[in-house]
Every structure is written in structure tokens, then in C-alpha cells.
Amino acid sequence: FCNHDLGASYYTSGGGGTSQKWFIDTLSNHGYKKVEYFGWEAKPLSAEKVWQQVPDHLKPHYRWMNIPANPDPASGDNPWNFLKANVKVEDYVIVKLDIDNTPIEAKFMEQIVNDSKLSALIDEMFFEHHVNVNPMNSYWHTQKETTYLSDSYDLMVGLRQRGIRFHGWP
């Protein structure tokens, strides 16, 4: 198993919740003990606090990048380049994308949609699609977005048709 978490925060705390702990606990509850973990977090965090929270059994398999994930396909800081360099089609890969930056998230999603070699590497995906939808506008400030909930469904269906188990996040 390989997990790429874009918007990782801390292992047991953070503004967006505890996605890292949730993924590791959920996989462990299903019998999967070894997970290669790639966490991306743009907000500067304490490296000491990050590593204090990571369980010992995960540390040898844990990679944490406290830099912005760069959507430029040629960038060494593009998470999809890490994914392509570290996994094979036969690996089970989970991706979570929730970096609270709609334009950058859109670029990452476009790369998955337009790159069949990349999308073939992803088995399951969790995405908080920040769209213009009334109940969430006060939290996401997306009133001026031209992307709507129907676009989320279209994206979800399209990626599911490619074989990616696609879920909303959280």
C-alpha cells in the first residue's frame, strides 16, 4: 500500500483533521500493517512535532514534505512525479487531495484526468472538491467559483469509469 496525502497537516492533529491517522488506522483495521506514506503540507509545521506524532512502526515508511505541492508537471516538487517514481501499476495506491487551494487542486486533478499513465497508478482517491455549493460557501468562500457540485459528480463518475475508487473528502 502507498498513500499520497496532499494536505497532510500533523499525524494526530491539524486544521483539516487527522487524515494521516485515519488512513493508517483504517488500513490497519483491515489487516494492512505496512504503508508507504507520502505527506505533503504547505503550511510550515514543527518537524519535531511531526515526527513525535508518527508511530514508530510507520517511521521507516514515512516521507513528509513540508513544502507546497507544485502542480507544474516538470517540477521536482510535483507529487505525481514522486508517485510515478515510487510505485508500479500493481501497487495499491491511495491519494487524498485537500490543500484548500482550488486553482492548484484543479491543476492536479486535470493531470490525473489527462494522463492515463498517472491515473492507472491510482486505485483509490479522496478529494475535497471546493465548489460553489450553498451549504459550504461560508466555509470555503467559493461563492465566485464557476465549478459546481454537478462538476464534482462528473469528475467522480469519469474517474470511477477509469477504475479509480473515487470518494469525496472528508
Side-chain angles (χ1 to χ4, degrees), residues 14-15 17 29 44 48 57 68 85 94 104 121 135 137 152 157 167:
N29 288 341
E48 183 177 353
H57 76 276
I94 300 169
I104 291 177
L121 295 173
N137 282 341
S152 293
V157 168
H167 316 277

Side-chain angles (χ1 to χ4, degrees), residues 18-37:
T18 59
S19 59
Q20 295 182 55
K21 184 173 179 3
W22 183 84
F23 281 113
I24 297 301
D25 288 352
T26 300
L27 291 169
S28 181
N29 288 341
H30 288 90
Y32 302 103
K33 303 299 182 198
K34 182 181 175 210
V35 176
E36 298 295 326
Y37 208 96

Side-chain angles (χ1 to χ4, degrees), residues 53-72:
Q53 292 184 14
V54 175
D56 287 341
H57 76 276
L58 181 58
K59 286 180 179 179
H61 311 282
Y62 187 82
R63 295 147 186 102
W64 182 67
M65 281 60 73
N66 197 193
I67 57 173
N70 188 329
D72 178 353

Side-chain angles (χ1 to χ4, degrees), residues 7-170:
S9 197
Y10 287 110
Y11 188 84
T12 58
S13 64
T18 59
S19 59
Q20 295 182 55
K21 184 173 179 3
W22 183 84
F23 281 113
I24 297 301
D25 288 352
T26 300
L27 291 169
S28 181
N29 288 341
H30 288 90
Y32 302 103
K33 303 299 182 198
K34 182 181 175 210
V35 176
E36 298 295 326
Y37 208 96
F38 292 77
W40 293 82
E41 178 57 52
K43 180 182 174 186
L45 301 177
S46 162
E48 183 177 353
K49 184 175 176 181
V50 166
W51 287 99
Q52 285 174 345
Q53 292 184 14
V54 175
D56 287 341
H57 76 276
L58 181 58
K59 286 180 179 179
H61 311 282
Y62 187 82
R63 295 147 186 102
W64 182 67
M65 281 60 73
N66 197 193
I67 57 173
N70 188 329
D72 178 353
S75 172
D77 296 328
N78 183 311
W80 304 153
N81 293 332
F82 280 67
L83 194 143
K84 290 174 184 178
N86 288 283
V87 303
K88 301 179 218 95
V89 172
E90 56 269 15
D91 294 329
Y92 195 88
V93 175
I94 300 169
V95 170
K96 190 237 2 169
L97 176 57
D98 180 15
I99 58 174
D100 296 330
N101 185 318
T102 302
I104 291 177
E105 288 173 337
K107 289 177 183 179
F108 283 127
M109 291 307 296
E110 286 171 18
Q111 290 169 31
I112 294 171
V113 168
N114 295 327
D115 184 343
S116 60
K117 290 181 181 177
L118 172 60
S119 65
L121 295 173
I122 301 170
D123 296 284
E124 195 158 359
M125 180 154 191
F126 296 80
F127 178 41
E128 186 172 62
H129 198 186
H130 299 98
V131 298
N132 187 342
V133 60
N134 243 5
M136 297 306 293
N137 282 341
S138 63
Y139 302 101
W140 292 343
H141 309 290
T142 51
Q143 296 87 335
K144 295 180 182 177
E145 290 294 326
T146 57
T147 307
Y148 298 92
L149 191 57
S150 60
D151 298 306
S152 293
Y153 291 130
D154 291 343
L155 180 63
M156 184 180 296
V157 168
L159 290 176
R160 284 182 175 178
Q161 288 172 338
R162 287 188 182 192
I164 297 174
R165 294 181 63 200
F166 192 93
H167 316 277
W169 179 263

